Amino acid sequence: APPEPAEPVVAPPPAPKPEPVQPVAIPVVEPPPPPPPLPETYTPAMSVREAQDFARDVLGVKARYGKNTPLHRGMANLANEELLSLKRAGLGMPEGGIQIISKMDEGGGAPARVNASYVPNKHKVVLNDLAAYWQDPADAARRGRDRNWFSNQDPHQVISHEMGHAAHHAQHRVTFMNLHRDGEPKELARVALEDIKVGVLHDVSRYALTNPIEFVAETFNAMRAGRTLSQPILDLYKKFKGPTVPVKP
């Protein structure tokens, strides 16, 4: 019998050529430019809008400075000058900003007697343009110090006081609210404050004795002004977790 034909040998298909590896471009992310240095001194704004722009662009804080009146311009410039000094010293700005209002909205009392306030639930400093203080801050601060109501006679001291509240709240929120709200922690703090009443009257101010939260803000102001305080006052300030104090140059 004739031999069976051999099966043809089929060559394997050539291996596919590898696709060339495309280089992956890794984007280069440039770091943001550093913020411009803060000015050493404040140049008074000629308008409320200019003052608000300075607060936003230089200080990084939202400001609502009211109307372009001489009163509001003066208040805005005084606020910006003190905020710049505090920021240059390393203090943070209030999260909710700063605002000039024509009435205090916290209830009770005579609104014209309230120069300014810190509103914890809004993290905001508000300045009350109905207060006589703003008509002549330098004279009002001097008279307040003469009566031992204020801890110093710097016309910026109202701004600094409220910023003391804001810094206290920002740095130690639980302690701040315990001292702010009625309750056992606040009552215990009142007792501790009463124990050093004589020293507080001598070294700080009468206003510092109104409640523990005001003791912190007034002591902050006194230390910022460079006043020498007794050790019991410094110890209580530390116990109440008073904020870091940027001393005024």
Side-chain angles (χ1 to χ4, degrees):
E4 293 183 4
E7 293 184 2
V9 178
V10 179
K17 293 182 179 181
E19 293 288 334
V21 178
Q22 298 294 330
V24 178
I26 301 176
V28 177
V29 180
E30 296 289 341
L38 291 168
E40 293 188 6
T41 58
Y42 178 69
T43 301
M46 301 303 292
S47 69
V48 162
R49 172 64 64 85
E50 184 183 342
Q52 291 177 163
D53 290 347
F54 179 91
R56 180 195 64 215
D57 298 338
V58 178
L59 302 175
V61 63
K62 180 180 179 181
R64 296 173 61 189
Y65 283 146
K67 300 177 181 179
N68 194 31
T69 62
L71 174 62
H72 284 188
R73 283 196 303 274
M75 294 171 71
N77 282 323
L78 198 72
N80 277 356
E81 188 171 32
E82 182 64 7
L83 292 178
L84 174 61
S85 176
L86 289 165
K87 189 176 180 72
R88 283 183 55 83
L91 197 75
M93 295 291 99
E95 296 176 16
I98 184 167
Q99 180 180 1
I100 293 174
I101 60 174
S102 293
K103 61 180 179 180
M104 304 305 288
D105 58 0
E106 297 182 302
R113 294 175 59 189
V114 180
N115 300 324
S117 182
Y118 173 69
V119 186
N121 64 335
K122 296 182 180 179
H123 306 277
K124 178 167 65 175
V125 170
V126 292
L127 312 179
N128 179 21
D129 69 358
L130 295 179
Y133 182 93
W134 303 110
Q135 299 294 332
D136 189 343
D139 181 64
R142 179 187 53 77
R143 288 186 291 105
R145 180 63 199 138
D146 289 345
R147 299 195 308 271
N148 199 29
W149 187 244
F150 298 146
S151 64
N152 66 77
Q153 60 182 15
D154 187 329
H156 302 87
Q157 58 87 27
V158 166
I159 310 294
S160 179
H161 176 101
E162 301 308 331
M163 286 297 294
H165 285 316
H168 191 195
H169 191 202
Q171 295 177 20
H172 301 284
R173 297 198 177 195
V174 173
T175 302
F176 176 91
M177 294 311 298
N178 283 341
L179 296 176
H180 181 69
R181 297 191 185 107
D182 290 335
E184 184 178 3
K186 183 175 180 178
E187 290 310 308
L188 292 174
R190 282 185 184 276
V191 172
L193 181 57
E194 184 68 20
D195 287 344
I196 60 168
K197 175 179 179 179
V198 174
V200 173
L201 282 172
H202 182 269
D203 288 359
V204 188
S205 68
R206 289 191 295 122
Y207 190 42
L209 287 171
T210 54
N211 62 59
I213 212 80
E214 299 302 346
F215 165 79
V216 172
E218 278 294 281
T219 304
F220 174 93
N221 241 2
M223 288 192 287
R224 176 151 167 74
R227 295 187 63 186
T228 302
L229 306 180
S230 64
Q231 194 58 46
I233 291 173
L234 297 175
D235 290 344
L236 192 60
Y237 185 81
K238 183 177 180 180
K239 181 178 180 179
F240 290 170
K241 297 191 183 301
T244 304
V245 181
V247 177
K248 200 159 192 172

